[in-house]
Amino acid sequence: MAEFSEKYIITDEIKADEYLVNIGPQHPSTHGVLRLLTRLEGEIVHNVEPHIGYIHSGIEKMTEALSYPQIVHLTDRMDYLSAHMNNEAVCLCVENALQVEVPERVKYIRTIFDELQRLASHQLWWCASGMDLGALTAFFYGLRDREDILDIFEETCGARLTLNYSVPGGVMFDIHPNFQKSVKAFITKFRKKLPEYDKLLTDNIIFQNRTKGVGVLSKEDAIAFGVTGPTGRASGFSCDVRKHHPYSAYPYIKFDEKLGTDGDSFMRWKVRMDEMWESMNIIEQLIDNIPEGDFAVKMKGVIKLPEGEFYQRVESARGEFGVYIVSDGKKNPYRVKFRSPGFSNLFTINHIAKGWKIADLVAIMATFDLVIPDIDR
Amino acid sequence: MKRGREIVGIVGKRKPDSVCKTSQRFDRMVNKKNKVKGNKDIGLSVTSRNKEVNLAQSETNQAMTNEQLIEQLTSANPDAVVKQGSQYPEITVAHDKLHAFMQNIKSDSSLAFDYLVCETGVDYPEFIQVVYHLESTSHRHFMVVKANTENRETATLDTVSDIWPTAEFHECEIYDLLGIRFNNHPNLRRYFLDDTWGHPLRKDFHDDIHVVER
Amino acid sequence: MGITSKKEFEKNDFPVLDSYEGGSIILTQLDALVNWARSNSVWPLTFGTRCCAIEFMAVGASRHDMARFGYEVARATPRQADMIIISGSINYKMAPVLKRLYDQIADPKYVIAMGACAVSGGPFYYNSYSIVKGADHVIPVDIYVPGCPPRPEALLYAFLQLQKKIKREKNFKKQLKK
Ligand code: SF4
């Protein structure tokens, strides 16, 4: 059991027996190009300062020269593991601004894709964080099952990762005739596979000892730091956008918002595992009832938003994703801001990792599920 | 697997017993529910307990309508400008009153905006505007607050990072990309670029070396 | 058995001259032997910046399994690696880091630019102020793989092309001439 050493928490000036260790920007446990400047005494972390910007690409500036349908295709390069949710956010924002009502069929298809994408993202998180904690088998198990979802994506929209499936007004093409069949087959299969995941890691005593009680984030802190998604929900912060501000087909279905109690690394883990069950329940409620109809409404060739400001929030796999568009009535936006969940989540790391050992810092990072281009944009 | 859990019971001493006991009932409920759905419940307690409490709370705290919200805000701050016909209630505050206003809407229990969703800046020809998207986690209402800097050259504004800690990092980002300096900010540094760069999100940013324009 | 024809020699690296019980004689060039060994044990560095890194992970995992071709495991330190797969975009802050990683790899070293970003800047070519327009502005690139992201099969094809390239190398001839 990892020990929390409270007496070592000292913040400000660097003492004689402290030293600085630089983790990253190229380090496997930072899940990308994040740099953590840690101040240690022995193995104990005194301070963590995240340095970002190693993959900053100026997407917000780029959007100012693009038209709205073009912006959609840039968004899945940010949080590529929840590509479809990002696409959907921009589409919903544009549709709301123009007051276009999309067909029911589109809503159902988008929601099913959301949940499939969430499953794929959590699977990847599971295998990557298992790898961080020293279980290489997880890597192979997780990616093996993820390929099945990618096959479904590929069948319908031709892409595996960067889907580009949503467009303002609907989806790009209709679903593949086999779509329902293969989704159902996948769910039956994955319901059997998921207990394997638990057997391998969740019930594993070594794993539990490394994560239980480590890196506790209280509910008040989660709200104050704006920590959303499974990470925030593990602390008991009810922040599910699907529940509180439902969009697409979420108003029609019943599902539980999984809330944790203690907010430690194990609870963050557990909430994500439970969300996978919940996602499958959501898909099962929708998959047989996809209504007939068009898969898109006809939009104008050149989409111009009315003057004003529009904000749309969706629940991506990492938390609340927001799009803020300021329009001056032209075909390009005046300013676009993407509120990325990772940005807010990352900066709590200093708050909760202080006093833990450096190996616990890796466990905390693993359960935060960070995607760096999402933070840097 | 059962054996594994027993061992955990001994080693996992970090979990106070009281929590386990109170959540047992709910655990059982969740288990039952999950069994019906064919789920398998694993490990400890992700319960629906909190959710019930939260729902109960939000039911008792009847959310204000947007009109009531604006009325309450304008009666307290008569010189704030309210924009009509926007997606969410939207209010513009003078830059010297910003900090007091923000403090007030967070601590006032009928408003209780405790969750800063998003903070961002927009560059306009005469001033730079900072936009705060705020939500109350107890009442679930949503509001947009705006503050303009005096001019574009010496753009300064008071920080709100002492009210919402998350603002500290959003403000660093705004400083980096738009060049607004925040007074009293604990650690204002550039996140993405270094000091040789201008502020790229300003409309007059030009860079012939790095940018291929189209 | 006599000496094999040139054509046959090119087809197989090691023509078998004669077989006896308990062993056989192989006649080959030193270059071919070294390149054969090198090309079948190229270990990549775990280096991923953007979305393409996920496809790179997929190539390493069960279905596609790059270990079949001798790209056995991805190493986390450049000192144990033979090649970099630049999977994702490089920006001006990252470019010096990439250069340093490349310098730390022991010779001979190879670079695969994976994805449109690493090839030319890709989706971030126009109007982006911080992306380097192609990783070959920073370090020399051996193989370019287009796509956004390239399919795993495309990366596997790039691996095979790199092996072909390694097999054509001349390590000893030049030195003898000198
Ligand atoms: S080429 Fe496309 S998929 Fe690959 S890193 Fe660049 S944006 Fe991502």
Side-chain angles (χ1 to χ4, degrees):
Chain A
M1 174 68 55
E3 303 237 330
F4 182 70
S5 42
E6 211 159 311
K7 60 177 178 183
Y8 286 116
I9 302 182
I10 306 129
T11 37
D12 293 335
E13 73 285 351
I14 298 181
K15 289 195 304 178
D17 45 0
E18 282 184 336
Y19 48 90
L20 296 173
V21 172
N22 191 38
I23 305 179
Q26 188 267 325
H27 190 274
S29 83
T30 56
H31 294 205
V33 283
L34 170 69
R35 180 175 148 222
L36 296 175
L37 191 59
T38 52
R39 218 171 73 208
L40 310 170
E41 184 190 320
E43 261 195 277
I44 292 152
V45 177
H46 281 189
N47 197 26
V48 192
E49 201 177 344
H51 284 255
I52 55 176
Y54 288 92
I55 194 66
H56 179 61
S57 47
I59 286 183
E60 286 171 15
K61 180 78 177 176
M62 288 169 73
T63 53
E64 286 171 17
L66 297 178
S67 67
Y68 293 102
Q70 286 172 323
I71 293 173
V72 175
H73 304 310
L74 266 187
T75 53
D76 49 11
R77 270 82 193 168
M78 289 190 302
D79 184 355
Y80 39 77
L81 290 181
S82 22
H84 186 260
M85 289 93 140
N86 295 3
N87 291 170
E88 191 184 3
V90 179
C91 296
L92 285 174
C93 196
V94 171
E95 284 154 13
N96 285 353
L98 294 172
Q99 294 179 346
V100 175
E101 181 70 23
V102 293
E104 289 290 290
R105 187 178 175 81
V106 175
K107 290 184 185 172
Y108 275 68
I109 293 175
R110 278 182 180 171
T111 312
I112 293 171
F113 263 74
D114 275 351
E115 294 306 320
L116 282 174
Q117 184 91 72
R118 197 182 315 279
L119 275 173
S121 167
H122 284 356
Q123 278 172 347
L124 196 102
W125 155 81
W126 181 81
C127 68
S129 51
M131 206 163 58
D132 284 354
L133 295 167
L136 194 63
T137 320
F139 179 72
F140 297 109
Y141 272 42
L143 281 176
R144 176 195 65 193
D145 299 335
R146 185 167 173 272
E147 291 286 336
D148 296 341
I149 300 187
L150 299 189
D151 284 347
I152 296 173
F153 287 159
E154 205 182 328
E155 209 174 46
T156 288
C157 66
R160 286 158 52 91
L161 190 65
T162 47
L163 298 183
N164 293 331
Y165 188 45
S166 263
V167 289
V171 289
M172 215 179 244
F173 344 89
D174 206 352
I175 47 173
H176 192 269
N178 278 346
F179 181 71
Q180 276 149 308
K181 210 173 86 198
S182 37
V183 169
K184 273 189 236 164
F186 163 73
I187 292 205
T188 336
K189 191 173 157 201
F190 194 55
R191 272 190 190 283
K192 294 205 190 82
K193 286 275 160 62
L194 203 44
E196 254 177 49
Y197 287 25
D198 290 331
K199 237 185 236 172
L200 191 62
L201 283 177
T202 319
D203 292 340
N204 184 326
I205 181 121
I206 304 171
F207 171 77
Q208 291 196 353
N209 284 353
R210 278 203 67 183
T211 48
K212 261 190 197 162
V214 173
V216 177
L217 180 70
S218 70
K219 185 182 172 187
E220 289 70 39
D221 286 339
I223 296 174
F225 279 97
V227 178
T228 50
T231 317
R233 287 197 282 280
S235 306
F237 172 27
S238 162
C239 55
D240 200 331
V241 181
R242 295 174 291 169
K243 207 76 188 170
H244 297 293
H245 306 270
Y247 52 93
S248 293
Y250 287 111
Y252 313 145
I253 48 178
K254 275 203 197 109
F255 67 100
D256 275 347
E257 182 182 5
K258 296 289 179 193
L259 286 179
T261 40
D262 0 348
D264 58 354
S265 295
F266 184 69
M267 200 41 86
R268 288 192 277 276
W269 177 281
K270 187 88 180 51
V271 166
R272 284 208 180 80
M273 296 306 277
D274 283 1
E275 268 193 10
M276 287 206 235
W277 286 112
E278 209 54 52
S279 289
M280 286 194 283
N281 284 343
I282 294 176
I283 296 172
E284 279 189 336
Q285 286 177 43
L286 295 174
I287 191 72
D288 281 327
N289 312 328
I290 302 178
E292 294 295 315
D294 287 339
F295 59 87
V297 285
K298 190 130 179 53
M299 301 287 275
K300 281 200 196 108
V302 180
I303 297 175
K304 287 182 182 169
L305 292 204
E307 235 171 277
E309 284 144 39
F310 310 96
Y311 187 74
Q312 175 68 42
R313 39 207 324 222
V314 299
E315 179 79 15
S316 87
R318 275 157 204 81
E320 179 176 337
F321 180 81
V323 184
Y324 175 60
I325 297 182
V326 182
S327 161
D328 55 354
K330 299 212 187 75
K331 73 179 197 323
N332 308 329
Y334 187 75
R335 166 95 167 88
V336 175
K337 155 88 182 170
F338 298 110
R339 188 263 186 218
S340 60
F343 188 83
S344 303
N345 292 5
L346 166 70
F347 285 99
T348 46
I349 220 125
N350 184 26
H351 183 70
I352 64 176
K354 267 183 203 167
W356 294 100
K357 298 235 168 64
I358 197 156
D360 298 326
L361 176 66
V362 175
I364 294 170
M365 288 280 299
T367 51
F368 260 67
D369 191 16
L370 300 170
V371 165
I372 310 302
D374 174 42
I375 295 165
D376 277 1
R377 292 170 310 250
Chain B
M1 207 186 66
K2 208 175 179 186
R3 233 174 83 223
R5 223 188 280 170
E6 273 165 25
I7 301 170
V8 173
I10 304 164
V11 183
K13 56 195 171 227
R14 195 161 277 275
K15 197 154 179 57
D17 278 349
S18 58
V19 175
C20 292
K21 262 177 203 163
T22 44
S23 61
Q24 258 173 15
R25 211 185 76 227
F26 294 96
D27 268 358
R28 233 175 288 139
M29 273 166 51
V30 170
N31 278 352
K32 248 187 214 165
K33 227 191 269 168
N34 285 350
K35 247 174 224 158
V36 173
K37 284 175 200 158
N39 280 5
K40 184 178 146 293
D41 189 64
I42 29 126
L44 290 164
S45 56
V46 171
T47 61
S48 43
R49 182 159 56 109
N50 264 29
K51 195 185 112 205
E52 282 164 19
V53 173
N54 275 345
L55 283 185
Q57 257 180 18
S58 56
E59 270 160 27
T60 48
N61 292 332
Q62 275 284 318
M64 278 190 272
T65 59
N66 290 347
E67 288 77 37
Q68 284 170 327
L69 189 73
I70 287 181
E71 211 178 275
Q72 184 174 351
L73 286 170
T74 42
S75 63
N77 311 275
D79 41 348
V81 185
V82 177
K83 191 176 166 198
Q84 302 295 341
S86 56
Q87 190 185 8
Y88 296 109
E90 194 177 302
I91 205 161
T92 309
V93 189
H95 62 91
D96 47 345
K97 299 221 174 76
L98 174 74
H99 193 266
F101 177 83
M102 290 304 209
Q103 196 107 54
N104 182 30
I105 59 170
K106 188 185 174 190
S107 52
D108 189 338
S109 62
S110 62
L111 299 169
F113 284 102
D114 51 356
Y115 169 31
L116 178 66
V117 181
C118 175
E119 181 177 351
T120 184
V122 187
D123 185 21
Y124 288 108
E126 285 96 43
F127 51 82
I128 302 180
Q129 189 174 58
V130 176
V131 186
Y132 305 84
H133 289 85
L134 295 162
E135 189 178 11
S136 157
T137 53
S138 47
H139 307 293
R140 291 285 162 204
H141 41 223
F142 194 89
M143 182 176 72
V144 183
V145 178
K146 292 178 173 180
N148 302 335
T149 61
E150 247 175 321
N151 51 35
R152 288 179 83 251
E153 285 70 44
T154 56
T156 54
L157 215 59
D158 286 340
T159 179
V160 292
S161 60
D162 49 338
I163 306 171
W164 298 282
T166 181
E168 183 183 334
F169 317 111
H170 286 280
E171 277 168 5
C172 282
E173 188 194 324
I174 296 170
Y175 166 60
D176 191 354
L177 299 181
L178 279 150
I180 303 179
R181 295 198 151 270
F182 288 89
N183 304 328
N184 309 326
H185 189 284
N187 180 17
L188 200 63
R189 64 182 168 96
R190 298 194 70 163
Y191 273 168
F192 303 123
L193 308 167
D194 59 29
D195 286 332
T196 54
W197 289 75
H199 301 292
L201 280 183
R202 290 203 181 195
K203 292 282 170 191
D204 52 6
F205 174 82
H206 280 295
D207 190 335
D208 295 333
I209 304 165
H210 300 115
V211 184
V212 182
E213 265 182 53
R214 184 169 69 167
Chain C
M1 272 208 230
I3 295 171
T4 43
S5 65
K6 202 180 167 221
K7 214 174 177 187
E8 205 173 318
F9 179 76
E10 273 167 3
K11 212 163 72 190
N12 311 311
D13 290 344
F14 311 124
V16 177
L17 279 191
D18 221 337
S19 301
Y20 301 100
E21 261 180 48
S24 44
I25 297 174
I26 283 173
L27 181 67
T28 181
Q29 292 165 317
L30 198 52
D31 260 346
L33 186 67
V34 168
N35 289 342
W36 171 75
R38 246 179 211 167
S39 65
N40 286 307
S41 162
V42 193
W43 288 8
L45 174 76
T46 10
F47 178 79
T49 49
R50 207 172 258 280
C51 356
C52 282
I54 304 295
E55 288 297 63
F56 173 36
M57 279 167 77
V59 173
S62 353
R63 184 185 289 187
H64 299 285
D65 189 15
M66 67 184 178
R68 286 179 293 164
F69 304 103
Y71 294 76
E72 189 63 41
V73 274
R75 304 307 300 187
T77 160
R79 282 151 227 267
Q80 297 170 357
D82 300 307
M83 61 154 353
I84 299 187
I85 299 172
I86 311 170
S87 45
S89 52
I90 302 296
N91 71 4
Y92 288 100
K93 198 170 174 180
M94 191 65 195
V97 182
L98 177 64
K99 173 75 171 51
R100 191 182 302 166
L101 285 172
Y102 180 73
D103 288 346
Q104 284 177 349
I105 297 180
D107 270 329
K109 46 195 168 188
Y110 308 97
V111 179
I112 291 182
M114 178 188 184
C117 282
V119 173
S120 70
F124 307 103
Y125 185 79
Y126 290 112
N127 297 324
S128 171
Y129 51 85
S130 70
I131 295 285
V132 178
K133 315 286 181 289
D136 48 5
H137 289 278
V138 188
I139 56 173
V141 175
D142 291 295
I143 312 275
Y144 296 87
V145 193
C148 183
R151 293 187 55 84
E153 289 87 343
L155 190 59
L156 289 178
Y157 181 66
F159 286 160
L160 296 180
Q161 290 298 90
L162 183 63
Q163 284 184 338
K164 262 190 200 162
K165 184 171 175 172
I166 295 173
K167 278 186 185 151
R168 278 208 304 270
E169 267 175 17
K170 302 245 182 309
N171 306 302
F172 297 101
K173 257 194 187 157
K174 264 188 220 155
Q175 287 174 10
L176 286 180
K177 262 182 199 166
K178 269 178 204 167

